[in-house]
Amino acid sequence: MPELPEVETIAQGLKPVLLGRVINTVRVLDSISTPQGAALFARRLAKATIRNVGRRGKLLMLDLDGPKGPLVLAVHLRMTGGLTADLDSDEVRRFCRVRFELTDGGFFVFTDIRRFGSCQAFSPSEMASWPFFANLGPEPLELDAEAFTALFQGRGAAIKAALLDQTCLAGVGNIYADESLFRAGIRPQAKAGSLAPARLRGLHRHLQEVLRQAIQENGSSIRDYRDAGGNAGAFQNSFRVYGRAGEACVCCGGKLRGTKVAGRSTTYCPKCQKG
């Protein structure tokens, strides 16, 4: 599932390509991808000018000037969604769910292999009241250490479960939770509220370090993820624990252990992550 680094990478790739361009028409090829209804969705976006491309948590957001006022195109990639611009390939054509035709003859498309993602067009007020958006926690790259530490005070959940809770912290998923907890030397099962402030400050530093490195390396491509230009990410080559249960720890040489935390597959080192 695309997490913060993957969505940020897509947004950074789309922004210089799409800014100032105008959506002419929208072709919905799979109505499951437009929960507002294909006709309404297409009608709202016709003749809208793209003013910005950004991200909130794992949500890709395009700010638009529509004929009737400002709009936000909110793209939730979920497991296998992607957005590419002016890219025509067999894979794009096969998995295209929504095609946005631009007035200059170009296009961008929403692709989704497993069809769990969605595209929605909101006015700013509708966006603000959308429960999924309204309940998102703070951005991990925008928090200082003290604010980050305060998020976990009194929480009885496992620290990994707290990191994955999008109402607590927006954008972190399974990959980056495992990787940052390993670097911080914290077991994923440790109770969030029991961790000393110094250890949480260390987790804050390592989480930001991991997220920035992943963005710099174009995200992680394990199966389906591609950036806005159709290119694979490279951070998977830097995984220290994620997906490596049973293999040797890169630090101590011990055997990495696999378990479940918050219903998610989890890998950690029992020697390097002390609790």
Side-chain angles (χ1 to χ4, degrees):
M1 178 182 292
E3 302 180 28
L4 185 157
E6 288 74 44
V7 182
E8 181 66 25
T9 299
I10 292 173
Q12 290 181 5
L14 288 173
K15 189 171 182 176
V17 175
L18 291 182
L19 285 190
R21 298 173 80 177
V22 179
I23 298 171
N24 187 37
T25 57
V26 178
R27 293 171 53 203
V28 178
L29 305 178
D30 190 342
S31 60
I32 199 171
S33 298
T34 53
Q36 294 170 311
L40 173 63
F41 177 76
R43 187 166 60 250
R44 278 191 156 191
L45 294 176
K47 311 306 179 187
T49 302
I50 301 167
R51 295 304 185 196
N52 194 27
V53 183
R55 174 197 60 78
R56 177 74 171 97
K58 302 178 187 179
L59 193 68
L60 188 64
M61 298 169 55
L62 281 71
D63 294 329
L64 313 171
D65 281 342
K68 296 184 178 180
L71 292 169
V72 179
L73 171 56
V75 182
H76 198 179
L77 301 176
R78 294 195 182 270
M79 293 187 71
T80 59
L83 213 66
T84 58
D86 298 320
L87 179 66
D88 190 20
S89 68
D90 290 342
E91 186 172 353
V92 167
R93 287 192 294 272
R94 181 180 178 188
F95 297 114
C96 178
R97 307 301 176 192
V98 184
R99 183 178 172 100
F100 303 85
E101 304 282 358
L102 303 173
T103 56
D104 60 12
F107 62 92
F108 63 101
V109 301
F110 172 66
T111 56
D112 193 2
I113 296 171
R114 298 189 65 179
R115 303 170 68 223
F116 292 136
S118 64
C119 299
Q120 299 188 71
F122 294 112
S123 69
S125 61
E126 289 170 337
M127 188 76 185
S129 62
W130 181 29
F132 173 81
F133 182 79
N135 292 326
L136 286 174
E139 291 286 329
L141 291 174
E142 296 176 4
L143 284 175
D144 63 22
E146 297 309 314
F148 179 85
T149 300
L151 291 175
F152 305 102
Q153 290 178 355
R155 286 185 176 262
I159 185 62
K160 179 172 179 181
L163 289 173
L164 296 179
D165 181 352
Q166 299 300 294
T167 66
C168 174
L169 195 65
V172 179
N174 214 27
I175 293 172
Y176 303 106
D178 273 8
E179 291 297 312
S180 58
L181 287 167
F182 174 76
R183 294 191 189 190
I186 297 172
R187 285 206 182 179
Q189 307 94 323
K191 299 298 182 185
S194 70
L195 291 168
R199 301 196 75 197
L200 288 170
R201 287 194 294 270
L203 176 59
H204 170 263
R205 183 177 70 256
H206 287 293
L207 175 59
Q208 290 195 340
E209 176 186 274
V210 164
L211 293 174
R212 289 191 175 109
Q213 181 184 347
I215 293 169
Q216 198 168 44
E217 296 182 10
N218 220 36
S220 301
S221 290
I222 300 171
R223 296 184 185 88
D224 308 304
Y225 163 73
R226 296 292 184 271
D227 69 8
N231 305 301
F235 187 72
Q236 68 275 9
N237 300 319
S238 300
F239 288 171
R240 300 184 187 181
V241 288
Y242 180 80
R244 297 186 60 240
E247 298 180 25
C249 174
V250 296
C251 291
C252 73
K255 189 175 182 180
L256 297 176
R257 187 173 297 173
T259 187
K260 291 270 189 180
V261 177
R264 304 298 303 277
S265 297
T266 299
T267 306
Y268 69 100
C269 177
K271 292 183 180 180
C272 296
Q273 293 169 263
K274 296 295 187 182

